[in-house]
Structures are given as C-alpha cells and as structure tokens.
Amino acid sequence: MLGRLDRSGRLIAADLQLEALQREAGSALGDTLALPQVAAVAKLARELGTAVGRRAIAAGTDHDVEMWVSARPEGEEVVLSLEGWTVRPAGGVQLAAILAGGEAASAGVRYEWATDEELRMISLSPDFAELLGIAVPEAAGVPLTRIFRLEEDELGEMPLVTALAARRDFNRQLARSRADEGQIVLLSGEVVAAADGSFAGFRGTATRDNEARSIAPARSIAFDHALDEVLRSPIDRIIEGAERIVERADGPLRSDYASYGTDIAAAARHLLSVLGSMSDNPAQSNRPVDLAALTAEAVVMLDSTAEEYSVRIEADSADPLPARGQERAIIQILVNLIGNAIRYSPENGTVRLAFGRAADNAWVTISDQGPGVAAEDQQRIFERFERAHTNAGGTGLGLAISRRLARSMGGDVTLHSAPGEGARFTLILPSV
C-alpha cells in the first residue's frame, strides 16, 4: 500500500485502502494526513532526511488497523509504504464516539498514548491531547518530556525512567502537563517490540483521577533522596570493584593495571562526595574562596576532554575574585558547565570564560559556539534527566545538580542562549 505526502503533511496520493482510512478519520485526499502515528513516522523521516520504519496503529470508525509504516523522503515530499495491514477490534476511545461528539473524559477514564524508542510521541488520543491543552499534530514526533514533566512518587521513584533503562513495562508514573500544570495523570505503559524483537518504544494509557492529584508531591528543587536511589548504589559497587583490583582479590595482575583501581576508586568517592554535598546544608559551611582560581582548577581537569573534542578553552585574564561557597561544590558546578560547553562546541571551536563582579555577587560566564538552546527549552534542561539535544550523551543530571548546588550556596546558575548563537551559562555566587 502506497501514499505520498507533500511538504506540509497533506496526503496528495494514496491507494484505495489508505484513502478510505483517511476519509474514515474525517479527512480527505489533498488534506492533512489524519492518522497521527503514520504522520509522526513521516515527520520523523523528513526531519532526519532518511528512511524510517515504525509499527503504527490507525483508528477506523469501528475498528483499528495495525501496520508497519515505512517513510522515505523524496525531495520535498515523503513516500509512504504500508505493510502488514491487520484489522483488529477497536481499543480505547472509539473514533466513532469522538465523531459523534461523545462526552469528554472525566475522572477515572483511560487515555491512550505511544512513543518510539527515543520517547518521541507517535500517538496521542484526541481526548488526551485536549485534556493536556495541546493539539494532536503538535505532539507528533515531540519528546515525551516536552509534553509532560515527570515527577517522583511518594517513594521518590520514577517508574518510566527505570522502565526505559530496563526495557520493561511500567505503571503509575506521575506526570504533569507542561501546557496546563493543573493536569496531573498516572501513566502506564507496555514495551512495543519491532519486527526483529528490538525495543521500539512504549504504548500505554493514562488515568486522571483523584488519586493522581492526591499523591502528586509538592514541586521542589530538593531531590536528594531520588538521586541517592539512582546513583549511590552503583557508585558503591564501582568502589568495591576498584578496591578488589587494587588488592588483586581475583588473582595476579600487573602493577600498572592494579594502580588504575586506585584512580577509579578515588573518582567514585568524589562522586559520592558530590551526592553528600547535596544532602548537606552547604550554607552552613560556606567560606571565602577565589572563584577565578577554582575555575582554573576545573579547566585543568578538562584539558584532556577539550583536546579530544579539538576545542580551545580561553579565559579572560582575571585577578583573584573573592566569593563565598564550598570549594568542592563550586568545582563540580564548573566541571559540569565547562564540560557541557566543550561537548556542544564544533570542532576547532572555542569555549570562553569571563569573570566579573556586580553588586553583592561574583560571577563566571562560560560561553560556547554550539547550537544554542531554544527559549522553550531553557527551563526544561535544568530538570533532572533532561538534555538540550536528544543526541547528547549523559544522564541529564549535570545541570540539575549544578543549579541545586549553586542555589544552596546562595547563588544560581543562569542561561542566556538562542538557536545558532551558542549558550552562555553563568555561575553566580555571593561575593565576600
């Protein structure tokens, strides 16, 4: 089965079955493709500039159609190929009920959604989109974390994050709509497998009820318990393994290799100290520091990373810059900010460090020549498990930790950026 979309997502050519399904969805040949999951695959193929294949479900008036969608860019158009066309009983909210003007969902009603393997939305039921305050076409291909703000449950856990790492089903993930923060739902999802058995995303439901609203925690910048759960246990295991290397507990080992165990254990203990600093009250141990000197220490720690990425680090000449804070926490913040600037800079790019003092504050600004951060993302990237760009490495914890530490010392981390203009992160601390 074949179809063709123009640059605006309109179905300009289709065989009889696809055209019939388009009409059942309330649209017609020449209009925008009204099958959200199929449209999402086409949009992704256009954005990536390469062929993309995904399993998709389309809703008819009284049935669903499951298929494998292949989308291939061809000039400004996208060619669709639909295979494995399988009709099955309709699930969830029926299209016929929607077209008939059925009552909007209320407490306890199950809404439907689906994502691909990178948590990009490929399906969102119309009633769910209405509840969240967004339009279905706007959600297609958008990362789930731009639709929802994921929140910990009463135990400080995030089931979706754990399930994504383990490639398994999950239940009861608290999620708050970014478009309407008053809407809180519980997400549940099951793993979707591709034709070759590999992980292809999640397909799930959401429930909006009194339970979701009653157990939603108050929003706060404190998230030490959750971080302990995520990081402390694996770091402890790293230290234990490194110490076994040093002791040659598992058999003979060359001395130069055994010595690496000491370095590994030291680095892991440094990470534990960072976690410890987040559960402490740094304001009680703040003391005078030289912000310029601590920045120089952080640069030394990142010299090899900058060389690996072919990036130069240039610092404005700076006299001592008195500030107040914790040396350990300040260096951690600077390593995160400068390290991010290096990773996002182009080859042969430059990361520039500038220092200053204003009113009762001292500051250092880290500027890069990278892709920049869109205005709508500039708050999101300071949340846990979030990154400015989906192809970036890391856990998405660095900026959250940095802002948390800075604020606990009476300062802050701010961002000024625009797409294509690089990013300027500034660490602000109280001056002495």
Side-chain angles (χ1 to χ4, degrees):
M1 185 179 310
L2 297 175
R4 184 178 292 270
L5 303 180
D6 67 9
R7 61 182 301 177
S8 300
R10 292 186 290 261
L11 184 65
I12 57 175
D15 62 14
L16 293 178
Q17 283 182 291
L18 179 55
E19 182 179 356
L21 196 57
Q22 169 84 335
R23 294 186 183 282
E24 284 188 36
S27 190
L29 194 64
D31 293 336
T32 301
L33 182 63
L35 311 176
Q37 293 192 24
V38 179
V41 178
K43 179 180 178 181
L44 182 60
R46 181 181 288 108
E47 290 177 348
L48 298 178
T50 187
V52 173
R54 293 285 188 276
R55 189 166 300 281
I57 297 174
T61 53
D62 56 3
H63 64 277
D64 287 346
V65 178
E66 188 168 358
M67 68 194 83
W68 182 263
V69 180
S70 297
R72 184 185 76 255
E74 193 172 278
E76 294 187 341
E77 299 177 351
V78 174
V79 176
L80 296 176
S81 176
L82 311 181
E83 301 174 354
W85 185 277
T86 304
V87 176
R88 69 181 196 185
V93 179
Q94 304 305 311
L95 182 61
I98 296 171
L99 295 177
E103 183 178 354
S106 58
V109 173
R110 291 160 62 90
Y111 304 91
E112 294 188 326
W113 59 273
T115 72
D116 66 10
E117 72 278 9
E118 295 185 10
L119 288 189
R120 290 175 295 211
M121 301 299 300
I122 60 174
S123 175
L124 194 65
S125 61
D127 55 337
F128 196 12
E130 181 179 357
L131 174 72
L132 299 174
I134 60 175
V136 172
E138 294 174 358
V142 174
L144 178 142
T145 52
R146 296 193 188 182
I147 305 295
F148 301 102
R149 177 179 287 109
L150 304 182
E151 299 187 354
E152 301 94 343
D153 59 19
E154 67 274 16
L155 300 177
E157 297 177 350
M158 299 180 72
L160 188 153
V161 174
T162 304
L164 179 63
R167 301 296 194 254
R168 61 176 173 80
D169 300 348
F170 69 91
N171 289 295
R172 299 171 60 79
Q173 170 64 63
L174 272 169
R176 187 185 299 268
S177 169
R178 290 185 180 275
D180 180 357
E181 299 220 349
Q183 296 295 350
I184 304 171
V185 297
L186 289 170
L187 300 177
S188 297
E190 60 181 18
V191 168
V192 175
D196 60 1
S198 63
F199 176 73
F202 290 112
R203 176 172 54 207
T205 60
T207 302
R208 174 180 177 266
D209 56 19
N210 292 331
E211 180 185 13
R213 291 189 290 275
S214 65
I215 67 176
R219 295 184 58 197
S220 168
I221 62 172
F223 42 79
D224 307 329
H225 174 74
L227 282 172
D228 279 350
E229 291 293 327
V230 172
L231 298 177
R232 188 174 294 276
S233 179
I235 293 174
D236 283 338
R237 290 197 296 271
I238 291 172
I239 294 174
E240 180 183 356
E243 289 176 343
R244 291 180 64 83
I245 293 175
V246 174
E247 297 168 359
R248 297 174 172 83
D250 296 319
L253 190 66
R254 280 172 43 185
S255 296
D256 53 347
Y257 285 119
S259 66
Y260 294 152
T262 302
D263 297 334
I264 295 170
R269 288 192 180 96
H270 172 68
L271 289 176
L272 280 180
S273 75
V274 172
L275 286 178
S277 70
M278 297 183 66
S279 57
D280 296 338
N281 183 0
Q284 296 179 357
S285 54
N286 287 351
R287 64 184 186 85
V289 297
D290 182 350
L291 182 55
L294 294 180
T295 302
E297 288 187 33
V299 169
V300 170
M301 295 172 64
L302 291 164
D303 274 343
S304 59
T305 303
E307 182 178 353
E308 177 185 350
Y309 281 82
S310 300
V311 171
R312 297 184 303 278
I313 302 177
E314 295 183 357
D316 293 350
S317 58
D319 295 327
L321 185 58
R324 184 172 293 277
Q326 275 193 320
E327 290 187 3
R328 174 177 68 182
I330 294 169
I331 290 177
Q332 179 65 29
I333 294 169
L334 291 168
V335 167
N336 282 335
L337 298 181
I338 300 172
N340 279 349
I342 291 171
R343 285 188 288 274
Y344 283 111
S345 291
E347 188 173 359
N348 298 319
T350 299
V351 172
R352 183 170 296 280
L353 312 178
F355 304 87
R357 177 191 298 272
D360 297 326
N361 295 321
W363 50 264
V364 55
T365 294
I366 298 95
S367 303
D368 64 50
Q369 298 172 321
V373 182
E376 62 269 22
D377 294 331
Q378 291 183 17
Q379 182 59 39
R380 177 184 63 82
I381 63 174
F382 283 101
E383 298 170 15
R384 292 186 306 122
F385 305 108
E386 295 287 354
R387 297 182 294 261
H389 302 278
T390 56
N391 61 347
T395 61
L397 290 169
L399 289 177
I401 291 174
S402 295
R403 175 168 276 183
R404 164 68 170 87
L405 291 175
R407 288 180 173 177
S408 67
M409 293 184 288
D412 204 352
V413 173
T414 62
L415 166 63
H416 291 87
S417 182
E421 298 180 5
R424 298 188 306 281
F425 286 91
T426 299
L427 168 60
I428 305 169
L429 292 172
S431 61
V432 176

